[in-house]
Amino acid sequence: MHKLLRQILKTGILPRHPCGQHGPRCDAEASKPTLAAELGRALAVRHVDSGSCNGCELEIQALGNAVYNLAAIGVRLVASPRHADILLVTGPVTRAMVDPLRAAHEAVPDPKRVVALGDCARGCGVYTPNYTTVGAVNRVVPVDLAIPGCPPSPETILEAFATLTRP
Amino acid sequence: MSWMRLSSPLPIHHAWVDSALWRALAVQWHCEDGQLIALWGSDERPAGLGFVVHAVIICADKWHWISLRAGIDNPRFPALSDLFPAAARQERALFDLLGIACDAGDTRSWLRHDAWGPADFPLRRDFTEGPPTTSADQPYPFISVRGNGVHEIAVGPIHAGTIEPGHFRFSVVGDEILRLEERLGYTHKGVAKRLEGMPLRDGGRLAGRICADSTAAYAGAYAMAVEMVCACAVPPRALWLRALLWERERIANHLGDLGALCQDGGLAFGHTQFGLLKERWIQTHGRLFGHRYLMDMIVPGGVARDLDATAIALLDSECTTLVAATRHLQYIVDDHAGLQERFLGTGRLAEAQARALGAVGLAARASGVSCDLRVSAPTPPYDILNTQISLHHGGDVAARVAVRFEEIYESARLIRTLLAALPTGPVRADCGRPEGSLGLGAVEGWRGLILVAVTRAPDTDSHHVHIHDPSWQNWPLLEHAVLGDLVPDFPLINKSFNLAYSGHDQ
Ligand code: SF4
């Protein structure tokens, strides 16, 4: 036990990531005005993988580590779409994920926003439409914000979330 | 029948066989404890061979690639799943994609999900590409368990956490799992069809985006297969750097999974600490290799970037730091009674079961099955690295955790050995034009063996690429490992395997 406590003390509290405060603006394409007015500064996010290669998921998971500390900018990943303000969609929407994605979208209460994360979800990744792939997320549900990258870096994703919470 | 030794660093022989021999050889190899690595098909009508079914089976460390002409109208072949259970889902996928039928019992579709019609076969060359159908997905005939107090829990395709989509159907009594049936295929993106339509030398970018956590291993296996078809000699320095990338990828994934296992086991401290180690590790990837997950580093002909002396020194000292930090955390994990209580005996897969099911990779090694390509068929530079295999016999979550710890230490040792004796010279050769008709590449990824096979019709310059993920073998293991365990332990057991969805569905 003392080893565990010593390790916690040794690690300490990492410097807060500057993103969302004064970090460089990324080229995330915002279309709707900020959510802050409608929802306040805490966002609940439900992620849906619509057929990604798992790269975008790795970076969403990385947001939770001590370096990026997503919770510090008031963003929380939640287990149910019913608890969410934002649907965060990755992947090029395979045919088999069209219906589950629609169902998840419907389950998110209004007012809601959809964020398409990664080049596949934006419709410009390696997975172009084909016999089993529909393509960009906005072909299935309306998208409010798209985050570029393959996969987008954690800094880019944090900055994009910050644009949503910024008053 | 005549065996042809393929010019590959792998000990592989190829032969064309007829139906009787296909079966006879499989029976023989089955008796000799052989292991089926992959079973797939290709439309070789451009080469005048009709539809062809292929299998790669390893027996006594010899690799056999057999190909069978299955005919043109109503193509068929003798099933192998009665001998090698790992073939069952591959046979179902083969029918979905190519319409090549076999005499296996289970003929339910596996990858199709009503994205295309039951009489359409996307990997046939004359398949007309159109958008997917939009008819409602037909209900999937799960096998149900009846009995007093038995009920079903359906999970997925969207899961509660940030993970890939798949469906799990549990039959339970109270909290105890009586049966688990998986349904996958939700992330099928038609990779093989896409690769058919692009020049072989351009496919690496896509091959490295089938399963992001194994991108280096995928891109490496793909490059090996293409280099064989192009008769390209890869510079030694590039081969060494590739091995370095594969070992770094293995460490990154083990760190991430150890963190997640601590989290699921109730020790959030472990999640934070391992998460931090992983983050620093992949930040180095970003700085030195241009991508946090190493995408696009391995290309046909070599690697995309070289390392200078400063980078080599940095990578070396990073290994020392990492090993010390990991040992410290392992002490805490091993000493934590609550965590060990969750790990020990949970999700047990006995050695006999693992062998019968054809387990590969990390999961096999945790159940006492000694299989590791780096040891059994070492390609340069592994031939001189003397990799120590991590073998545990418990078959439970604790054993899979132990294998991961040991593999971190061993991979760090390999990386330091590679760095200390990195050959000089270029890191990339021109791949040249494809000339041959068969190509094969294999890499021991962090989950297990990833195989890429290329068949090519030289006259028409058409090709087919098959990419096999070890999760094909290992997903069925999970169905067995959870039996008798409690539903709340499922996430922990699942994480201890951490199998690929996109890598499997492609
Ligand atoms: S954008 Fe890139 S990382 Fe994300 S799912 Fe697509 S291929 Fe994978």
Side-chain angles (χ1 to χ4, degrees), chain B residues 16 58-59 64 74 169 179 212 222 239 264 317 323 329 360 371 378 397 446 449 481 495-496:
Chain B
W16 285 94
I58 301 181
C59 188
H64 309 278
N74 294 322
R169 186 66 60 99
R179 186 168 200 283
Y222 180 82
L239 291 176
D264 283 340
S317 71
V323 167
L329 292 181
V360 291
C371 64
V397 174
W446 72 269
L449 195 156
K495 197 70 203 179
S496 70

PDB file of all heavy atoms in Angstrom, chain B residues 16 58-59 64 74 169 179 212 222 239 264 317 323 329 360 371 378 397 446 449 481 495-496:
ATOM      1  N   TRP B  16      -0.936 -26.869 -55.554  1.00  0.00           N
ATOM      2  CA  TRP B  16      -2.307 -26.972 -56.039  1.00  0.00           C
ATOM      3  C   TRP B  16      -2.786 -28.383 -55.724  1.00  0.00           C
ATOM      4  O   TRP B  16      -2.060 -29.347 -55.962  1.00  0.00           O
ATOM      5  CB  TRP B  16      -2.362 -26.726 -57.550  1.00  0.00           C
ATOM      6  CG  TRP B  16      -2.191 -25.274 -57.879  1.00  0.00           C
ATOM      7  CD1 TRP B  16      -1.027 -24.645 -58.191  1.00  0.00           C
ATOM      8  CD2 TRP B  16      -3.222 -24.276 -57.903  1.00  0.00           C
ATOM      9  NE1 TRP B  16      -1.248 -23.312 -58.408  1.00  0.00           N
ATOM     10  CE2 TRP B  16      -2.597 -23.051 -58.243  1.00  0.00           C
ATOM     11  CE3 TRP B  16      -4.599 -24.286 -57.663  1.00  0.00           C
ATOM     12  CZ2 TRP B  16      -3.308 -21.856 -58.348  1.00  0.00           C
ATOM     13  CZ3 TRP B  16      -5.305 -23.101 -57.776  1.00  0.00           C
ATOM     14  CH2 TRP B  16      -4.662 -21.904 -58.108  1.00  0.00           C
ATOM     15  N   ILE B  58      -0.051 -24.648 -40.595  1.00  0.00           N
ATOM     16  CA  ILE B  58       1.305 -24.864 -40.082  1.00  0.00           C
ATOM     17  C   ILE B  58       1.331 -26.204 -39.372  1.00  0.00           C
ATOM     18  O   ILE B  58       0.459 -26.496 -38.549  1.00  0.00           O
ATOM     19  CB  ILE B  58       1.719 -23.764 -39.081  1.00  0.00           C
ATOM     20  CG1 ILE B  58       1.667 -22.393 -39.740  1.00  0.00           C
ATOM     21  CG2 ILE B  58       3.132 -24.021 -38.551  1.00  0.00           C
ATOM     22  CD1 ILE B  58       2.090 -21.250 -38.824  1.00  0.00           C
ATOM     23  N   CYS B  59       2.304 -27.038 -39.741  1.00  0.00           N
ATOM     24  CA  CYS B  59       2.419 -28.330 -39.090  1.00  0.00           C
ATOM     25  C   CYS B  59       3.901 -28.588 -38.833  1.00  0.00           C
ATOM     26  O   CYS B  59       4.699 -28.535 -39.770  1.00  0.00           O
ATOM     27  CB  CYS B  59       1.805 -29.403 -39.990  1.00  0.00           C
ATOM     28  SG  CYS B  59       1.695 -30.976 -39.177  1.00  0.00           S
ATOM     29  N   HIS B  64       2.328 -24.749 -44.900  1.00  0.00           N
ATOM     30  CA  HIS B  64       1.775 -25.276 -46.145  1.00  0.00           C
ATOM     31  C   HIS B  64       0.670 -24.355 -46.628  1.00  0.00           C
ATOM     32  O   HIS B  64      -0.258 -24.060 -45.880  1.00  0.00           O
ATOM     33  CB  HIS B  64       1.191 -26.671 -45.928  1.00  0.00           C
ATOM     34  CG  HIS B  64       2.128 -27.619 -45.244  1.00  0.00           C
ATOM     35  ND1 HIS B  64       3.110 -28.306 -45.913  1.00  0.00           N
ATOM     36  CD2 HIS B  64       2.231 -27.974 -43.945  1.00  0.00           C
ATOM     37  CE1 HIS B  64       3.788 -29.046 -45.051  1.00  0.00           C
ATOM     38  NE2 HIS B  64       3.277 -28.861 -43.852  1.00  0.00           N
ATOM     39  N   ASN B  74     -21.523 -22.853 -59.616  1.00  0.00           N
ATOM     40  CA  ASN B  74     -21.707 -23.544 -58.332  1.00  0.00           C
ATOM     41  C   ASN B  74     -20.414 -24.020 -57.694  1.00  0.00           C
ATOM     42  O   ASN B  74     -20.247 -25.205 -57.402  1.00  0.00           O
ATOM     43  CB  ASN B  74     -22.623 -24.768 -58.505  1.00  0.00           C
ATOM     44  CG  ASN B  74     -24.011 -24.340 -58.879  1.00  0.00           C
ATOM     45  OD1 ASN B  74     -24.501 -23.340 -58.374  1.00  0.00           O
ATOM     46  ND2 ASN B  74     -24.614 -25.079 -59.797  1.00  0.00           N
ATOM     47  N   ARG B 169     -24.635 -12.208 -27.217  1.00  0.00           N
ATOM     48  CA  ARG B 169     -25.898 -12.723 -26.695  1.00  0.00           C
ATOM     49  C   ARG B 169     -25.588 -13.730 -25.588  1.00  0.00           C
ATOM     50  O   ARG B 169     -24.997 -14.776 -25.853  1.00  0.00           O
ATOM     51  CB  ARG B 169     -26.657 -13.406 -27.858  1.00  0.00           C
ATOM     52  CG  ARG B 169     -28.047 -13.874 -27.511  1.00  0.00           C
ATOM     53  CD  ARG B 169     -28.990 -12.726 -27.211  1.00  0.00           C
ATOM     54  NE  ARG B 169     -29.173 -11.783 -28.299  1.00  0.00           N
ATOM     55  CZ  ARG B 169     -30.197 -11.783 -29.134  1.00  0.00           C
ATOM     56  NH1 ARG B 169     -31.138 -12.696 -29.026  1.00  0.00           N
ATOM     57  NH2 ARG B 169     -30.288 -10.865 -30.090  1.00  0.00           N
ATOM     58  N   ARG B 179     -24.091 -19.579 -21.654  1.00  0.00           N
ATOM     59  CA  ARG B 179     -23.691 -19.614 -23.055  1.00  0.00           C
ATOM     60  C   ARG B 179     -23.479 -18.190 -23.527  1.00  0.00           C
ATOM     61  O   ARG B 179     -24.169 -17.275 -23.088  1.00  0.00           O
ATOM     62  CB  ARG B 179     -24.803 -20.263 -23.894  1.00  0.00           C
ATOM     63  CG  ARG B 179     -24.428 -20.475 -25.334  1.00  0.00           C
ATOM     64  CD  ARG B 179     -25.435 -21.371 -26.061  1.00  0.00           C
ATOM     65  NE  ARG B 179     -24.805 -21.925 -27.250  1.00  0.00           N
ATOM     66  CZ  ARG B 179     -24.621 -21.240 -28.369  1.00  0.00           C
ATOM     67  NH1 ARG B 179     -25.043 -20.006 -28.453  1.00  0.00           N
ATOM     68  NH2 ARG B 179     -24.022 -21.797 -29.412  1.00  0.00           N
ATOM     69  N   ALA B 212      -6.261  -0.225 -36.204  1.00  0.00           N
ATOM     70  CA  ALA B 212      -5.287   0.811 -35.857  1.00  0.00           C
ATOM     71  C   ALA B 212      -4.283   0.393 -34.793  1.00  0.00           C
ATOM     72  O   ALA B 212      -3.129   0.785 -34.866  1.00  0.00           O
ATOM     73  CB  ALA B 212      -6.025   2.069 -35.394  1.00  0.00           C
ATOM     74  N   TYR B 222       1.681  -6.780 -44.948  1.00  0.00           N
ATOM     75  CA  TYR B 222       1.297  -6.416 -46.310  1.00  0.00           C
ATOM     76  C   TYR B 222       2.541  -6.148 -47.154  1.00  0.00           C
ATOM     77  O   TYR B 222       2.672  -6.641 -48.274  1.00  0.00           O
ATOM     78  CB  TYR B 222       0.391  -5.177 -46.287  1.00  0.00           C
ATOM     79  CG  TYR B 222      -0.042  -4.731 -47.667  1.00  0.00           C
ATOM     80  CD1 TYR B 222      -1.117  -5.342 -48.308  1.00  0.00           C
ATOM     81  CD2 TYR B 222       0.638  -3.716 -48.345  1.00  0.00           C
ATOM     82  CE1 TYR B 222      -1.502  -4.953 -49.574  1.00  0.00           C
ATOM     83  CE2 TYR B 222       0.260  -3.324 -49.614  1.00  0.00           C
ATOM     84  CZ  TYR B 222      -0.818  -3.945 -50.223  1.00  0.00           C
ATOM     85  OH  TYR B 222      -1.187  -3.567 -51.492  1.00  0.00           O
ATOM     86  N   LEU B 239      14.645  -3.720 -42.235  1.00  0.00           N
ATOM     87  CA  LEU B 239      14.085  -4.888 -41.545  1.00  0.00           C
ATOM     88  C   LEU B 239      14.220  -4.714 -40.033  1.00  0.00           C
ATOM     89  O   LEU B 239      13.311  -5.047 -39.272  1.00  0.00           O
ATOM     90  CB  LEU B 239      14.811  -6.157 -41.983  1.00  0.00           C
ATOM     91  CG  LEU B 239      14.580  -6.601 -43.429  1.00  0.00           C
ATOM     92  CD1 LEU B 239      15.444  -7.814 -43.756  1.00  0.00           C
ATOM     93  CD2 LEU B 239      13.101  -6.942 -43.667  1.00  0.00           C
ATOM     94  N   ASP B 264     -11.046  -2.090 -14.839  1.00  0.00           N
ATOM     95  CA  ASP B 264     -12.161  -3.032 -14.722  1.00  0.00           C
ATOM     96  C   ASP B 264     -12.059  -3.850 -13.440  1.00  0.00           C
ATOM     97  O   ASP B 264     -13.065  -4.332 -12.922  1.00  0.00           O
ATOM     98  CB  ASP B 264     -12.208  -3.961 -15.933  1.00  0.00           C
ATOM     99  CG  ASP B 264     -12.796  -3.257 -17.152  1.00  0.00           C
ATOM    100  OD1 ASP B 264     -13.483  -2.233 -16.970  1.00  0.00           O
ATOM    101  OD2 ASP B 264     -12.567  -3.723 -18.287  1.00  0.00           O
ATOM    102  N   SER B 317      17.178   4.857 -23.940  1.00  0.00           N
ATOM    103  CA  SER B 317      16.989   5.216 -22.533  1.00  0.00           C
ATOM    104  C   SER B 317      15.517   5.150 -22.154  1.00  0.00           C
ATOM    105  O   SER B 317      15.160   4.868 -21.009  1.00  0.00           O
ATOM    106  CB  SER B 317      17.566   6.610 -22.261  1.00  0.00           C
ATOM    107  OG  SER B 317      16.765   7.581 -22.872  1.00  0.00           O
ATOM    108  N   VAL B 323      10.918   0.093 -18.347  1.00  0.00           N
ATOM    109  CA  VAL B 323      10.994  -1.185 -17.641  1.00  0.00           C
ATOM    110  C   VAL B 323      10.984  -0.949 -16.128  1.00  0.00           C
ATOM    111  O   VAL B 323      10.258  -1.629 -15.390  1.00  0.00           O
ATOM    112  CB  VAL B 323      12.242  -1.983 -18.087  1.00  0.00           C
ATOM    113  CG1 VAL B 323      12.497  -3.151 -17.153  1.00  0.00           C
ATOM    114  CG2 VAL B 323      12.047  -2.481 -19.513  1.00  0.00           C
ATOM    115  N   LEU B 329       5.121  -0.845 -11.027  1.00  0.00           N
ATOM    116  CA  LEU B 329       3.663  -1.003 -11.059  1.00  0.00           C
ATOM    117  C   LEU B 329       3.272  -2.472 -10.934  1.00  0.00           C
ATOM    118  O   LEU B 329       2.256  -2.801 -10.322  1.00  0.00           O
ATOM    119  CB  LEU B 329       3.094  -0.404 -12.347  1.00  0.00           C
ATOM    120  CG  LEU B 329       3.174   1.115 -12.480  1.00  0.00           C
ATOM    121  CD1 LEU B 329       2.558   1.565 -13.791  1.00  0.00           C
ATOM    122  CD2 LEU B 329       2.460   1.798 -11.314  1.00  0.00           C
ATOM    123  N   VAL B 360      -4.288 -18.666 -30.992  1.00  0.00           N
ATOM    124  CA  VAL B 360      -3.010 -18.093 -31.423  1.00  0.00           C
ATOM    125  C   VAL B 360      -2.621 -16.941 -30.499  1.00  0.00           C
ATOM    126  O   VAL B 360      -3.433 -16.432 -29.730  1.00  0.00           O
ATOM    127  CB  VAL B 360      -3.071 -17.566 -32.881  1.00  0.00           C
ATOM    128  CG1 VAL B 360      -3.202 -18.707 -33.868  1.00  0.00           C
ATOM    129  CG2 VAL B 360      -4.194 -16.553 -33.057  1.00  0.00           C
ATOM    130  N   CYS B 371       3.159 -20.747 -28.939  1.00  0.00           N
ATOM    131  CA  CYS B 371       3.209 -20.382 -30.354  1.00  0.00           C
ATOM    132  C   CYS B 371       3.564 -18.913 -30.476  1.00  0.00           C
ATOM    133  O   CYS B 371       2.945 -18.053 -29.849  1.00  0.00           O
ATOM    134  CB  CYS B 371       1.910 -20.708 -31.077  1.00  0.00           C
ATOM    135  SG  CYS B 371       0.496 -19.805 -30.505  1.00  0.00           S
ATOM    136  N   PRO B 378      11.369 -17.514 -37.266  1.00  0.00           N
ATOM    137  CA  PRO B 378      11.878 -16.147 -37.161  1.00  0.00           C
ATOM    138  C   PRO B 378      12.433 -15.614 -38.484  1.00  0.00           C
ATOM    139  O   PRO B 378      13.334 -16.209 -39.065  1.00  0.00           O
ATOM    140  CB  PRO B 378      12.988 -16.263 -36.109  1.00  0.00           C
ATOM    141  CG  PRO B 378      13.400 -17.691 -36.128  1.00  0.00           C
ATOM    142  CD  PRO B 378      12.225 -18.488 -36.580  1.00  0.00           C
ATOM    143  N   VAL B 397      -7.531 -14.639 -16.475  1.00  0.00           N
ATOM    144  CA  VAL B 397      -7.172 -13.235 -16.667  1.00  0.00           C
ATOM    145  C   VAL B 397      -5.779 -12.979 -16.093  1.00  0.00           C
ATOM    146  O   VAL B 397      -4.946 -12.310 -16.697  1.00  0.00           O
ATOM    147  CB  VAL B 397      -8.221 -12.305 -16.000  1.00  0.00           C
ATOM    148  CG1 VAL B 397      -7.771 -10.853 -16.067  1.00  0.00           C
ATOM    149  CG2 VAL B 397      -9.584 -12.470 -16.669  1.00  0.00           C
ATOM    150  N   TRP B 446       0.771  -7.963 -31.745  1.00  0.00           N
ATOM    151  CA  TRP B 446       0.651  -8.111 -30.294  1.00  0.00           C
ATOM    152  C   TRP B 446      -0.468  -9.071 -29.910  1.00  0.00           C
ATOM    153  O   TRP B 446      -0.433  -9.696 -28.861  1.00  0.00           O
ATOM    154  CB  TRP B 446       0.493  -6.755 -29.625  1.00  0.00           C
ATOM    155  CG  TRP B 446      -0.839  -6.107 -29.830  1.00  0.00           C
ATOM    156  CD1 TRP B 446      -1.192  -5.247 -30.824  1.00  0.00           C
ATOM    157  CD2 TRP B 446      -1.997  -6.276 -29.023  1.00  0.00           C
ATOM    158  NE1 TRP B 446      -2.494  -4.875 -30.689  1.00  0.00           N
ATOM    159  CE2 TRP B 446      -3.012  -5.486 -29.578  1.00  0.00           C
ATOM    160  CE3 TRP B 446      -2.270  -7.014 -27.872  1.00  0.00           C
ATOM    161  CZ2 TRP B 446      -4.295  -5.420 -29.038  1.00  0.00           C
ATOM    162  CZ3 TRP B 446      -3.559  -6.952 -27.336  1.00  0.00           C
ATOM    163  CH2 TRP B 446      -4.547  -6.160 -27.918  1.00  0.00           C
ATOM    164  N   LEU B 449      -0.744 -13.871 -34.797  1.00  0.00           N
ATOM    165  CA  LEU B 449      -0.186 -13.872 -36.144  1.00  0.00           C
ATOM    166  C   LEU B 449      -1.105 -13.183 -37.160  1.00  0.00           C
ATOM    167  O   LEU B 449      -2.256 -13.572 -37.324  1.00  0.00           O
ATOM    168  CB  LEU B 449       0.046 -15.329 -36.544  1.00  0.00           C
ATOM    169  CG  LEU B 449       0.934 -15.617 -37.730  1.00  0.00           C
ATOM    170  CD1 LEU B 449       1.495 -17.020 -37.607  1.00  0.00           C
ATOM    171  CD2 LEU B 449       0.204 -15.489 -39.045  1.00  0.00           C
ATOM    172  N   ALA B 481     -14.221 -19.180 -22.708  1.00  0.00           N
ATOM    173  CA  ALA B 481     -13.574 -18.724 -21.469  1.00  0.00           C
ATOM    174  C   ALA B 481     -14.575 -18.168 -20.455  1.00  0.00           C
ATOM    175  O   ALA B 481     -14.326 -18.206 -19.255  1.00  0.00           O
ATOM    176  CB  ALA B 481     -12.514 -17.674 -21.785  1.00  0.00           C
ATOM    177  N   LYS B 495     -11.666  -7.788 -21.886  1.00  0.00           N
ATOM    178  CA  LYS B 495     -10.508  -6.899 -21.999  1.00  0.00           C
ATOM    179  C   LYS B 495      -9.206  -7.681 -21.957  1.00  0.00           C
ATOM    180  O   LYS B 495      -8.225  -7.304 -22.583  1.00  0.00           O
ATOM    181  CB  LYS B 495     -10.541  -5.868 -20.857  1.00  0.00           C
ATOM    182  CG  LYS B 495      -9.666  -4.676 -21.095  1.00  0.00           C
ATOM    183  CD  LYS B 495     -10.267  -3.843 -22.191  1.00  0.00           C
ATOM    184  CE  LYS B 495      -9.281  -2.972 -22.884  1.00  0.00           C
ATOM    185  NZ  LYS B 495      -9.881  -2.190 -23.961  1.00  0.00           N
ATOM    186  N   SER B 496      -9.185  -8.772 -21.203  1.00  0.00           N
ATOM    187  CA  SER B 496      -7.934  -9.526 -21.084  1.00  0.00           C
ATOM    188  C   SER B 496      -7.553 -10.131 -22.438  1.00  0.00           C
ATOM    189  O   SER B 496      -6.386 -10.359 -22.709  1.00  0.00           O
ATOM    190  CB  SER B 496      -8.039 -10.595 -20.004  1.00  0.00           C
ATOM    191  OG  SER B 496      -8.900 -11.645 -20.401  1.00  0.00           O
TER     192      SER B 496
END
